[in-house]
Amino acid sequence: MPPLTHSGVPRHVAIIMDGNGRWAGRRGLPRTLGHRKGVESVRRIVRHAGNRGVGVLTLYAFSRENWNRPKAEVSELMGLLQRYIRSDLEELVEQGVRVQVIGGRHDLNSTLLGMIENAEARTAHNDRMHLVLAFNYGGRDEIVRAARRAAEAVARGELAVEALDEARFAGFLDTGTLPDPDLVIRTSGEQRISNFLLWQSAYAEYSFPDALWPDFDEAMFDEALRDFAGRERRFGTVPPVTSVST
Ligand code: FPP
């Protein structure tokens, strides 16, 4: 499958939305207000990525490690996803956005779970852009859950061990048949991948803009796309010979 859409826009952009806490701290505000402000950036970037022709946008909204934050912050982040779905679902439906949540579901409360399932069902047939929210997500956890699913398929006699190759294994991941991310953006200047899409990002390009997530805007997103368009992706091969000297 070609990694780019026809226009050179990455088919799949994944974002680690970092810097909400610092954004709030610099203004003497509680961290929770930084996360609230971060939802405004989510809205902006979802609309804009759709307009730019991005096929899949994945946003890292809550990591498994985030459970270790203060209780009030954890419950704010849980509440924000509920409020986002409640307030934005109709617009996402109208925009033709398909919503999918990846990550472990067992730890989520039943109200949130119901809202996630409803959002996924309501948007299941949308195809303008696929919005993937990584929530209670960890890359290693996803790989372990995929390994369990593969082992269960073997145990049921539905999969021969020899038939398990990279493509079949990828199908057991939460991302299933989605294309791998071409571009991973992490805001706030930090340069870490923090357990995000470990399997899927094997050949991704990375971009580390300095802006804190609440300040990240359409122009900065476009800048990352322009930078991406100028990179030479080789996927482990050698560059093509462009001229022959005699
Ligand atoms: C990292 O910033 C950000 C998070 C842990 C949460 C991201 C969540 C949102 C942007 C809002 C919720 C999203 C949706 C889709 C409703 P940080 O808190 O680690 O910032 P810091 O490194 O400056 O402390």
Side-chain angles (χ1 to χ4, degrees):
M1 275 201 285
L4 294 183
T5 59
H6 59 282
S7 55
V9 171
R11 280 205 308 172
H12 184 171
V13 177
I15 307 183
I16 301 173
M17 309 182 286
D18 197 10
N20 295 345
R22 274 164 284 168
W23 184 93
R26 285 175 196 175
R27 289 162 177 78
L29 300 169
R31 295 176 56 81
T32 48
L33 286 190
H35 296 312
R36 285 185 202 179
K37 194 74 184 169
V39 177
E40 293 175 24
S41 298
V42 167
R43 257 179 215 122
R44 268 201 303 273
I45 297 303
V46 168
R47 272 186 212 125
H48 188 63
N51 291 338
R52 282 284 175 262
V54 169
V56 184
L57 177 70
T58 299
L59 302 177
Y60 204 1
F62 189 87
S63 75
R64 289 183 58 77
E65 290 70 31
N66 288 157
W67 288 107
N68 299 322
R69 295 193 174 203
K71 232 175 165 180
E73 187 170 342
V74 169
S75 77
E76 173 72 19
L77 288 166
M78 295 285 149
L80 278 183
L81 180 57
Q82 293 192 22
R83 292 212 285 277
Y84 175 67
I85 294 174
R86 199 174 294 127
S87 60
D88 285 48
L89 185 57
E90 287 316 314
E91 182 180 335
L92 293 169
V93 170
E94 277 163 31
Q95 287 174 357
V97 174
R98 179 174 179 181
V99 177
Q100 182 186 349
V101 176
I102 60 170
R105 299 205 172 189
H106 45 282
D107 303 316
L108 305 181
N109 75 49
S110 57
T111 309
L112 178 55
L113 215 49
M115 294 178 78
I116 289 172
E117 285 167 2
N118 176 52
E120 289 179 334
R122 290 261 339 259
T123 61
H125 301 294
N126 289 351
D127 59 4
R128 183 160 167 268
M129 187 177 79
H130 203 129
L131 173 63
V132 180
L133 300 173
F135 201 85
N136 190 27
Y137 176 86
R140 288 183 175 177
D141 175 68
E142 181 192 29
I143 292 169
V144 169
R145 287 187 289 103
R148 285 199 191 126
R149 287 180 196 132
E152 283 160 8
V154 170
R156 284 195 302 268
E158 293 164 8
L159 176 68
V161 171
E162 314 76 57
L164 187 61
D165 56 14
E166 290 185 14
R168 293 292 284 272
F169 186 77
F172 288 104
L173 294 166
D174 294 351
T175 42
T177 55
L178 287 175
D180 286 342
D182 306 294
L183 173 64
V184 177
I185 299 172
R186 181 178 190 141
T187 57
S188 90
E190 303 285 348
Q191 303 192 0
R192 290 188 295 277
I193 56 173
S194 299
N195 208 8
F196 185 47
L197 301 178
L198 294 181
W199 172 285
Q200 298 88 338
S201 297
Y203 286 100
E205 296 290 328
Y206 282 84
S207 173
F208 299 106
D210 286 328
L212 303 175
W213 176 250
D215 293 325
F216 191 71
D217 62 15
E218 293 89 337
M220 296 172 192
F221 185 84
D222 285 349
E223 181 59 36
L225 295 194
R226 262 195 302 279
D227 179 35
F228 172 85
R231 297 198 194 175
E232 183 195 0
R233 302 184 78 201
R234 285 159 47 180
F235 300 97
T237 66
V238 293
V241 176
T242 47
S243 64
V244 179
S245 55
T246 50

